[in-house]
Each structure stands twice: as C-alpha cells, then as structure tokens.
Amino acid sequence: MSDAFRISLTDLRHQEGARLEIARTIPAPETFATDLVRTVGDIDLDGALQSVSEGVLITATLEHSTEAECARCLTTVEQDHTSHVTELYFYQNRAKALQEAGDEEAEEVPLIVNDTIDVESLLRDTIVGQMPFIPLCEPDCPGLCDTCGERLADLPEDHAHEVEPEETNPLDELRAKLVAEEQGK
Ligand SMILES: [Zn+2]
Ligand SMILES: [Zn+2]
C-alpha cells in the first residue's frame, strides 16, 4: 500500500453536496500489470470528491500508458488510455449501520479511514481490468513468417519463399543415358 494513493479529506467539508477538485500524478506501481501487459510512466488522476450522506463519492478521469508484447509478432506495443472511475467510500458508521440492517454488500464497500480514502485498489482494478488477455499490435496482426521469422506486417504482401526445385546434375543424366545404351546393346 502506497501513500501516493491516499487522498486526504481534510479539505472537504463533510456536508452533503460539498465538493473538492483533485488532481494527482502517481507513478505506476509494478502491481498494475498482468503477465503480459504492464502500466508504465505516471497515472494522471483528475476529478472531484463530493460529500454525500453515506460518505464521499470520487469521480475521476485516469490517464495512463501501457506496454505489452504483441502475442503474434512480439513487437512492443505502447498505448495511452483514458478511463473513468466512480466510487463511493463509506463513513464507517454508515457501513456498519447498513450491515446491521442486513445489507451483506455493505461488508465489502470501501471505507473512509482516518479521514482518508485509499484509491489504490480502485485504480488497479480499473486499469488492470481493461488490459487485454491477448495483447496485439493491430487487431489483425498477421504474426511472423513461418519460414524466415520476419514480421509479416513489415513485409510486402506477396512475401513468399520459393521451394527450390531439386536440381538435376547434367553429368548424372549423361551417365544414366550411357548406362541405358550399354544395357541396350
Ligand atoms: Zn503484432
Ligand atoms: Zn519469410
């Protein structure tokens, strides 16, 4: 857990409707990755906090970049992404009241702890959740040539390897002819 993801609510009035603009640049941690795709550089978060009766609502836009290896041609693919997050962080007493009222989902809601919200898992789930299972440089990437291993997208459309016809040795032909003549005598 990193402090970079903790947002203090000290400057937000705890009164329904109060709003606070937030903007952060957070270096992408190594955990924001799958086996094949990783987040690189910084994550830019831009949005607002809003006091509501149950807690604090965050709505924000995320900008981040990812790096992956194309599953077919192995080219490194860098991409920029923009996504939106919305999450309600509950006051602990509100979450408790909901649990006591029999709301089982209230056990799982994110909480406000020490007047702070921690957006790490919100951001990680959002960013990692959008990562492709099979990263491709282009949706129709043709992959690599079976014969020479070059990237087919970089090669001319008619790229092909000629199968060399088996060369016949003129001397062998002559020998065969002579043998045939000899036997024919
Ligand atoms: Zn590719
Ligand atoms: Zn080839």
Side-chain angles (χ1 to χ4, degrees):
M1 202 177 279
S2 146
D3 278 346
F5 291 98
R6 289 203 194 141
I7 300 175
S8 166
L9 305 177
T10 315
D11 294 332
L12 177 72
R13 280 179 304 123
H14 291 234
Q15 182 188 353
E16 260 186 86
R19 237 177 102 88
L20 181 69
E21 306 278 318
I22 45 164
R24 287 231 174 161
T25 300
I26 306 166
E30 284 176 15
T31 51
F32 281 41
T34 62
D35 288 344
L36 302 170
V37 189
R38 62 213 155 268
T39 312
V40 291
D42 291 331
I43 301 164
D44 283 320
L45 175 129
D46 203 344
L49 303 175
Q50 194 181 341
S51 278
V52 295
S53 62
E54 307 293 342
V56 169
L57 183 73
I58 178 172
T59 48
T61 300
L62 299 179
E63 285 183 13
H64 68 280
S65 305
T66 55
E67 202 177 80
E69 211 166 68
C70 173
R72 293 190 195 144
C73 74
L74 312 178
T75 304
T76 302
V77 190
E78 285 169 40
Q79 281 179 312
D80 296 329
H81 308 267
T82 302
S83 38
H84 301 279
V85 292
T86 303
E87 184 67 276
L88 175 59
Y89 288 74
F90 281 75
Y91 294 124
Q92 294 186 41
N93 58 358
R94 290 294 189 163
K96 207 172 163 202
L98 287 172
Q99 283 172 39
E100 282 166 4
D103 186 340
E104 285 174 18
E105 283 176 23
E107 287 172 26
E108 319 247 312
V109 298
L111 299 173
I112 296 168
V113 179
N114 297 329
D115 213 20
T116 301
I117 60 170
D118 186 333
V119 296
E120 182 166 0
S121 50
L122 171 65
L123 267 52
R124 187 179 52 233
D125 291 352
T126 304
I127 289 173
V128 174
Q130 291 169 351
M131 290 178 171
F133 287 115
I134 301 174
L136 295 174
C137 62
E138 299 287 343
D140 56 352
C141 171
L144 301 173
C145 171
D146 283 340
T147 307
C148 66
E150 294 289 318
R151 195 170 166 256
L152 287 170
D154 296 336
L155 294 168
E157 244 174 65
D158 59 355
H159 175 75
H161 296 271
E162 277 194 24
V163 182
E164 303 268 321
E166 253 182 64
E167 268 188 48
T168 46
N169 186 334
L171 278 178
D172 286 344
E173 271 180 73
L174 184 63
R175 199 171 293 130
K177 201 176 156 198
L178 288 173
V179 168
E181 273 175 16
E182 193 74 22
Q183 284 169 350
K185 254 186 200 169

